[in-house]
Amino acid sequence: MIDDIDRALIVATQGGLPLVARPYQAIAEQLGLPADEVMSRLKGMLETGVIRRIGAVPNHYAIGWTANGMTVWDVADELVDEFGERIGALGFVTHCYRRPRALPAWPYNLFAMVHGASRDECATKAGEIRRLLGEACRGNDILYSTRILKKTGLRIGS
């Protein structure tokens, strides 16, 4: 359960931290709190899971990654966790996860997002994943993003 101050902190930060040298100080001034309390409360909410993470959310298009492909892989269920760990550790994979298959139409159970300046660059990166999987890969595809549908997390009212 959160109190009124935690709620105000969430509302003040859910659109992003202020782009200033001392963002926590700016939030503290906005809410009339000491900066130490702002940081302590945010840390506490991270530890209790009220806030899942504080991190940067890049706009892929703005940084030149105009091709964004979700690579999908059909890997034996007993191997998918092992390969998911290895693929997720690749420097060009931004997120990697396992999902259940939806047979017979959808045989894929491993997903890995890659980005690039072109679809050819994404295909090259998918090729690296394909080589890593070797014979464990039973099928794959790349689903390219065609537009941004949502770029925000959950929002709560003040």
Side-chain angles (χ1 to χ4, degrees):
M1 193 70 183
I2 61 173
D3 63 17
D4 290 343
I5 295 173
D6 286 345
R7 184 178 190 86
L9 272 170
I10 292 169
V11 171
T13 58
Q14 65 188 354
L17 295 176
L19 296 176
V20 297
R22 301 182 62 144
Y24 298 110
Q25 180 65 41
I27 293 166
E29 290 171 9
Q30 175 187 341
L31 299 178
L33 298 169
D36 290 351
E37 183 175 350
V38 166
M39 294 171 63
S40 173
R41 282 179 172 266
L42 288 172
K43 182 179 177 188
M45 287 191 281
L46 282 168
E47 290 171 355
T48 60
V50 171
I51 295 173
R52 195 168 28 174
R53 67 183 181 92
I54 296 174
V57 180
N59 179 330
H60 301 108
Y61 293 95
I63 61 175
W65 288 349
T66 55
N68 304 291
M70 178 60 75
T71 64
V72 293
W73 307 90
D74 176 12
V75 177
D77 289 334
E78 63 272 16
L79 299 174
V80 71
D81 290 339
E82 172 193 337
F83 278 108
E85 290 280 333
R86 294 173 61 192
I87 292 168
L90 295 171
F92 59 84
V93 171
T94 57
H95 49 285
C96 181
Y97 50 91
R98 177 183 191 172
R99 284 209 169 158
R101 306 169 197 279
L103 297 173
W106 188 258
Y108 308 111
N109 59 344
L110 182 61
F111 296 67
M113 191 72 190
V114 299
H115 308 274
S118 68
R119 288 187 176 199
D120 285 345
E121 185 178 343
C122 287
T124 297
K125 292 174 179 174
E128 290 184 43
I129 295 171
R130 176 70 177 87
R131 281 187 292 282
L132 187 151
L133 288 169
E135 293 183 15
C137 178
R138 301 188 300 202
N140 68 286
D141 203 346
I142 304 175
L143 312 172
Y144 287 102
S145 301
T146 56
R147 60 189 167 143
I148 297 173
L149 299 176
K150 182 179 178 189
K151 244 350 201 185
T152 64
L154 176 67
R155 303 292 172 109
I156 63 172
S158 53

